[in-house]
Amino acid sequence: MAKVIAPFKLSGTLEGINFVDSSEGNNARIAREKFMTSKEFYANPIYDRIRDHGKEMGYCALKSRAFRQLAVQFYRNSKDVSFAGRANQILLEILDEDTLNPKGQRTLEEGLKSPFLNEILVGFEGNKQRPLSKILLTDFLHNPEERTLIIPNFDALHHLDWPEGATHVHLAMATANWDFTNNTFATCYGEEIIRSKD
Protein backbone atom coordinates (compact mmCIF):
# COMPACT_ATOMS: atom_id res chain seq x y z
CA MET A 1 0.00 0.00 0.00
CA ALA A 2 1.33 3.44 -0.93
CA LYS A 3 0.56 6.78 0.71
CA VAL A 4 -0.58 9.64 -1.51
CA ILE A 5 1.11 12.94 -0.74
CA ALA A 6 -0.76 15.73 -2.50
CA PRO A 7 -2.57 18.99 -1.68
CA PHE A 8 -5.88 17.22 -2.52
CA LYS A 9 -7.63 13.97 -1.59
CA LEU A 10 -8.17 11.13 -4.04
CA SER A 11 -10.85 8.43 -3.83
CA GLY A 12 -12.03 5.83 -6.29
CA THR A 13 -10.27 3.63 -8.86
CA LEU A 14 -7.97 4.72 -11.65
CA GLU A 15 -6.40 2.15 -14.02
CA GLY A 16 -6.37 -0.68 -11.48
CA ILE A 17 -5.32 1.44 -8.48
CA ASN A 18 -7.74 2.09 -5.61
CA PHE A 19 -7.43 5.44 -3.82
CA VAL A 20 -8.85 5.35 -0.29
CA ASP A 21 -9.20 8.28 2.12
CA SER A 22 -9.17 6.82 5.64
CA SER A 23 -8.17 7.79 9.19
CA GLU A 24 -4.64 6.62 8.29
CA GLY A 25 -4.43 9.14 5.45
CA ASN A 26 -4.89 9.04 1.68
CA ASN A 27 -3.66 5.62 0.46
CA ALA A 28 -3.28 3.91 -2.89
CA ARG A 29 -3.26 0.16 -3.53
CA ILE A 30 -3.60 -2.13 -6.52
CA ALA A 31 -7.19 -3.23 -7.02
CA ARG A 32 -7.87 -6.94 -6.63
CA GLU A 33 -8.68 -8.60 -9.89
CA LYS A 34 -10.91 -11.28 -8.42
CA PHE A 35 -12.59 -11.78 -5.06
CA MET A 36 -12.77 -15.20 -3.46
CA THR A 37 -16.20 -16.78 -3.31
CA SER A 38 -17.46 -18.49 -0.15
CA LYS A 39 -17.34 -21.81 -2.01
CA GLU A 40 -13.63 -21.31 -2.76
CA PHE A 41 -12.98 -20.26 0.84
CA TYR A 42 -14.58 -23.43 2.26
CA ALA A 43 -12.89 -25.69 -0.30
CA ASN A 44 -9.35 -24.38 0.24
CA PRO A 45 -7.47 -26.20 3.07
CA ILE A 46 -5.23 -23.14 3.55
CA TYR A 47 -8.12 -21.53 5.45
CA ASP A 48 -8.79 -24.48 7.80
CA ARG A 49 -7.26 -22.68 10.80
CA ILE A 50 -9.36 -19.56 10.14
CA ARG A 51 -12.54 -21.63 9.84
CA ASP A 52 -11.72 -23.61 13.02
CA HIS A 53 -11.04 -20.40 14.94
CA GLY A 54 -14.33 -18.95 13.68
CA LYS A 55 -16.22 -22.03 14.86
CA GLU A 56 -14.71 -21.71 18.34
CA MET A 57 -15.37 -17.97 18.49
CA GLY A 58 -19.03 -18.59 17.60
CA TYR A 59 -19.28 -21.41 20.16
CA CYS A 60 -17.83 -19.19 22.92
CA ALA A 61 -20.02 -16.24 21.95
CA LEU A 62 -23.09 -18.48 22.29
CA LYS A 63 -21.99 -19.83 25.70
CA SER A 64 -20.97 -16.33 26.80
CA ARG A 65 -24.57 -15.10 26.67
CA ALA A 66 -25.49 -17.30 29.64
CA PHE A 67 -22.15 -16.62 31.39
CA ARG A 68 -22.84 -12.86 31.32
CA GLN A 69 -26.26 -13.43 32.91
CA LEU A 70 -24.93 -15.39 35.92
CA ALA A 71 -24.80 -12.28 38.14
CA VAL A 72 -26.63 -9.83 35.90
CA GLN A 73 -27.90 -7.72 38.83
CA PHE A 74 -24.29 -6.82 39.62
CA TYR A 75 -23.06 -6.43 36.05
CA ARG A 76 -26.01 -4.20 35.13
CA ASN A 77 -24.67 -1.50 37.46
CA SER A 78 -21.11 -1.55 36.11
CA LYS A 79 -20.07 0.76 33.30
CA ASP A 80 -17.53 -1.66 31.85
CA VAL A 81 -17.99 -1.84 28.07
CA SER A 82 -15.28 -4.52 27.74
CA PHE A 83 -17.19 -7.10 29.81
CA ALA A 84 -18.68 -9.05 26.87
CA GLY A 85 -15.31 -9.30 25.12
CA ARG A 86 -13.55 -10.39 28.30
CA ALA A 87 -16.26 -13.00 28.96
CA ASN A 88 -15.64 -14.42 25.47
CA GLN A 89 -11.89 -14.31 26.08
CA ILE A 90 -12.07 -16.30 29.34
CA LEU A 91 -14.22 -18.95 27.64
CA LEU A 92 -11.68 -19.20 24.81
CA GLU A 93 -8.95 -19.68 27.45
CA ILE A 94 -10.97 -22.54 28.96
CA LEU A 95 -11.45 -23.98 25.46
CA ASP A 96 -7.65 -23.92 25.00
CA GLU A 97 -7.40 -26.35 27.94
CA ASP A 98 -9.26 -29.02 25.92
CA THR A 99 -6.38 -31.17 24.68
CA LEU A 100 -8.62 -34.12 23.77
CA ASN A 101 -10.42 -32.64 20.75
CA PRO A 102 -8.86 -31.03 17.65
CA LYS A 103 -9.08 -27.26 17.16
CA GLY A 104 -12.50 -26.31 15.86
CA GLN A 105 -14.16 -29.14 17.80
CA ARG A 106 -12.95 -28.34 21.33
CA THR A 107 -15.62 -28.05 24.04
CA LEU A 108 -16.03 -26.33 27.40
CA GLU A 109 -16.91 -29.70 28.94
CA GLU A 110 -13.36 -30.93 28.29
CA GLY A 111 -11.70 -27.58 28.98
CA LEU A 112 -13.35 -27.31 32.41
CA LYS A 113 -11.65 -30.58 33.45
CA SER A 114 -8.30 -28.78 33.42
CA PRO A 115 -6.31 -28.67 36.69
CA PHE A 116 -5.45 -25.04 35.81
CA LEU A 117 -9.08 -23.90 35.90
CA ASN A 118 -8.65 -21.92 39.13
CA GLU A 119 -5.86 -19.90 37.53
CA ILE A 120 -8.19 -18.99 34.67
CA LEU A 121 -11.45 -18.28 36.53
CA VAL A 122 -10.44 -17.02 39.97
CA GLY A 123 -10.08 -13.27 39.89
CA PHE A 124 -12.21 -12.71 36.79
CA GLU A 125 -13.72 -9.26 37.21
CA GLY A 126 -17.14 -8.33 35.89
CA ASN A 127 -16.26 -4.67 36.35
CA LYS A 128 -12.67 -4.11 35.24
CA GLN A 129 -12.80 -0.37 35.91
CA ARG A 130 -13.56 -0.82 39.63
CA PRO A 131 -12.33 -4.34 40.58
CA LEU A 132 -12.89 -5.63 44.12
CA SER A 133 -9.13 -5.75 44.74
CA LYS A 134 -8.96 -1.95 44.33
CA ILE A 135 -12.22 -1.09 46.08
CA LEU A 136 -11.94 -3.26 49.21
CA LEU A 137 -8.82 -2.07 51.04
CA THR A 138 -8.77 -4.77 53.71
CA ASP A 139 -8.45 -8.55 53.87
CA PHE A 140 -11.49 -10.79 53.68
CA LEU A 141 -12.22 -14.50 54.13
CA HIS A 142 -14.18 -16.26 51.41
CA ASN A 143 -15.56 -19.75 52.00
CA PRO A 144 -17.20 -21.02 48.78
CA GLU A 145 -18.49 -24.22 50.40
CA GLU A 146 -20.41 -22.28 53.07
CA ARG A 147 -21.17 -19.43 50.65
CA THR A 148 -19.83 -16.82 53.02
CA LEU A 149 -17.63 -13.74 52.77
CA ILE A 150 -16.30 -12.35 56.05
CA ILE A 151 -14.66 -8.92 56.37
CA PRO A 152 -13.27 -8.77 59.92
CA ASN A 153 -13.87 -5.48 61.81
CA PHE A 154 -15.37 -3.85 58.73
CA ASP A 155 -15.12 -0.05 58.76
CA ALA A 156 -16.84 1.34 55.66
CA LEU A 157 -15.09 4.72 55.80
CA HIS A 158 -11.54 3.32 55.90
CA HIS A 159 -11.88 -0.11 54.26
CA LEU A 160 -13.39 1.10 50.96
CA ASP A 161 -12.13 3.33 48.16
CA TRP A 162 -15.10 5.68 47.89
CA PRO A 163 -16.01 7.33 44.58
CA GLU A 164 -16.46 11.08 44.76
CA GLY A 165 -19.90 12.03 46.04
CA ALA A 166 -20.79 8.52 47.29
CA THR A 167 -22.51 8.33 50.69
CA HIS A 168 -23.59 4.68 50.96
CA VAL A 169 -22.30 1.26 49.94
CA HIS A 170 -24.39 -1.77 48.98
CA LEU A 171 -22.73 -5.08 49.88
CA ALA A 172 -24.10 -8.22 48.30
CA MET A 173 -22.99 -11.67 47.26
CA ALA A 174 -24.28 -14.15 44.70
CA THR A 175 -23.60 -17.78 43.90
CA ALA A 176 -24.50 -19.36 40.59
CA ASN A 177 -24.72 -22.89 39.24
CA TRP A 178 -24.13 -22.82 35.50
CA ASP A 179 -25.06 -25.81 33.37
CA PHE A 180 -22.87 -24.82 30.42
CA THR A 181 -23.88 -27.89 28.41
CA ASN A 182 -27.55 -26.86 28.29
CA ASN A 183 -26.91 -23.09 28.62
CA THR A 184 -29.01 -22.82 31.79
CA PHE A 185 -28.15 -21.46 35.24
CA ALA A 186 -29.57 -20.78 38.68
CA THR A 187 -28.33 -17.78 40.67
CA CYS A 188 -28.93 -17.16 44.37
CA TYR A 189 -28.47 -13.56 45.55
CA GLY A 190 -27.71 -12.95 49.21
CA GLU A 191 -29.44 -10.29 51.27
CA GLU A 192 -28.08 -6.84 50.45
CA ILE A 193 -26.43 -4.93 53.29
CA ILE A 194 -26.38 -1.11 53.05
CA ARG A 195 -23.86 0.91 55.06
CA SER A 196 -23.36 4.66 55.19
CA LYS A 197 -19.91 6.12 54.61
CA ASP A 198 -19.60 7.20 58.24
Side-chain angles (χ1 to χ4, degrees), residues 1-5 16-31:
M1 182 166 37
K3 193 172 279 290
V4 178
I5 300 172
I17 298 175
N18 285 341
F19 295 93
V20 181
D21 186 25
S22 68
S23 60
E24 298 170 359
N26 202 210
N27 300 312
R29 62 179 163 231
I30 296 173

Side-chain angles (χ1 to χ4, degrees), residues 22 177 187:
S22 68
N177 288 321
T187 303

Side-chain angles (χ1 to χ4, degrees), residues 37-64:
T37 65
S38 60
K39 188 176 180 181
E40 291 170 330
F41 175 75
Y42 284 106
N44 195 332
I46 292 173
Y47 301 108
D48 283 349
R49 287 180 57 86
I50 295 170
R51 288 192 298 272
D52 291 342
H53 184 69
K55 284 179 198 171
E56 291 188 350
M57 283 290 291
Y59 174 74
C60 286
L62 180 69
K63 297 293 183 181
S64 174

Side-chain angles (χ1 to χ4, degrees), residues 78-146:
S78 76
K79 306 291 185 230
D80 186 356
V81 294
S82 70
F83 177 53
R86 289 185 302 104
N88 286 351
Q89 182 181 1
I90 198 167
L91 294 181
L92 279 168
E93 286 178 33
I94 294 170
L95 216 58
D96 283 341
E97 295 299 315
D98 177 1
T99 56
L100 188 69
N101 297 309
K103 193 165 175 105
Q105 297 174 21
R106 297 183 295 186
T107 64
L108 286 176
E109 290 85 348
E110 286 301 319
L112 286 167
K113 294 176 184 176
S114 167
F116 304 109
L117 195 59
N118 278 349
E119 294 175 23
I120 297 170
L121 284 174
V122 172
F124 175 77
E125 283 289 348
N127 187 357
K128 191 177 180 184
Q129 295 183 13
R130 298 283 288 172
L132 185 62
S133 60
K134 291 189 179 169
I135 300 300
L136 187 57
L137 307 176
T138 186
D139 293 331
F140 60 90
L141 306 167
H142 177 227
N143 188 330
E145 290 79 24
E146 294 181 12

